Amino acid sequence: SPSRFAQWEALMNRRLALGLLAATSLAACSFDLSLPEAPQRGGVLGKVDTAGHVPLKGNQVVLVAEDGTRTTQDTNEQGEFTFGDLTPGLFYLECKIPGFAPFVRPNIKVLAGQQYDLGTLAPLSLQNTPNAALVTGKVTIEEAGSTQGAQV
């Protein structure tokens, strides 16, 4: 019968062989421990030029998403605005400045990982325009309706 030392030596050799086999198997495997890439977002930037009629800073600019979500920014000292971290999609921009006609910029397509530069926007100043205007038109009432409460 083998001696106790020989039995112990055989056991150690088997353990060593199993350890080497496990290490070789692990080395042959590759583990991807990286996190999935986060979906990229986009942005919109631009500048509002008031032609000196009102200060550039503090004018409200609103970006409206397809689902109606509204995001608001105020222009800085140079009239600039930036909307970041936007889900890619279609937007439109509104700018309502007192003394100017409402300004709308449609069809702003935000793409993943890109900034959409609107450039310089120049809303129409209403300075030196008449305070009153004559509007003419025709109200049509269908199927014997009433004109009571009608508004133009």
Side-chain angles (χ1 to χ4, degrees):
S1 113
S3 70
R4 290 189 134 203
F5 179 75
Q7 289 175 343
W8 178 82
E9 187 177 31
L11 178 64
M12 288 298 122
N13 284 338
R14 273 189 247 136
R15 285 187 178 172
L16 180 62
L18 285 174
L20 287 174
L21 179 62
T24 305
S25 296
L26 284 175
C29 296
S30 67
F31 295 100
D32 182 9
L33 299 177
S34 62
L35 295 173
E37 194 172 311
Q40 289 191 349
R41 317 260 298 170
V44 173
L45 57 98
K47 180 177 180 176
V48 175
D49 181 8
T50 62
H53 295 292
V54 296
L56 294 174
K57 182 178 180 179
N59 294 305
Q60 192 175 77
V61 181
V62 180
L63 192 66
V64 183
E66 287 177 287
D67 66 1
T69 303
R70 301 170 70 84
T71 307
T72 303
Q73 289 286 325
D74 287 340
T75 54
N76 66 14
E77 294 82 9
Q78 290 78 38
E80 300 165 333
F81 59 89
T82 302
F83 294 93
D85 196 30
L86 300 173
T87 302
L90 199 59
F91 294 80
Y92 70 89
L93 182 121
E94 294 179 341
C95 185
K96 295 179 183 174
I97 302 171
F100 287 79
F103 181 89
V104 176
R105 173 75 181 268
N107 301 320
I108 300 169
K109 188 170 186 177
V110 174
L111 301 174
Q114 295 184 16
Q115 290 285 328
Y116 192 110
D117 189 349
L118 296 172
T120 301
L121 309 175
L124 177 64
S125 172
L126 298 177
Q127 187 175 6
N128 299 324
T129 57
N131 291 333
L134 176 62
V135 177
T136 60
K138 181 178 175 180
V139 176
T140 305
I141 306 299
E142 295 182 15
E143 299 188 25
S146 169
T147 58
Q148 184 176 2
Q151 295 182 355
V152 176

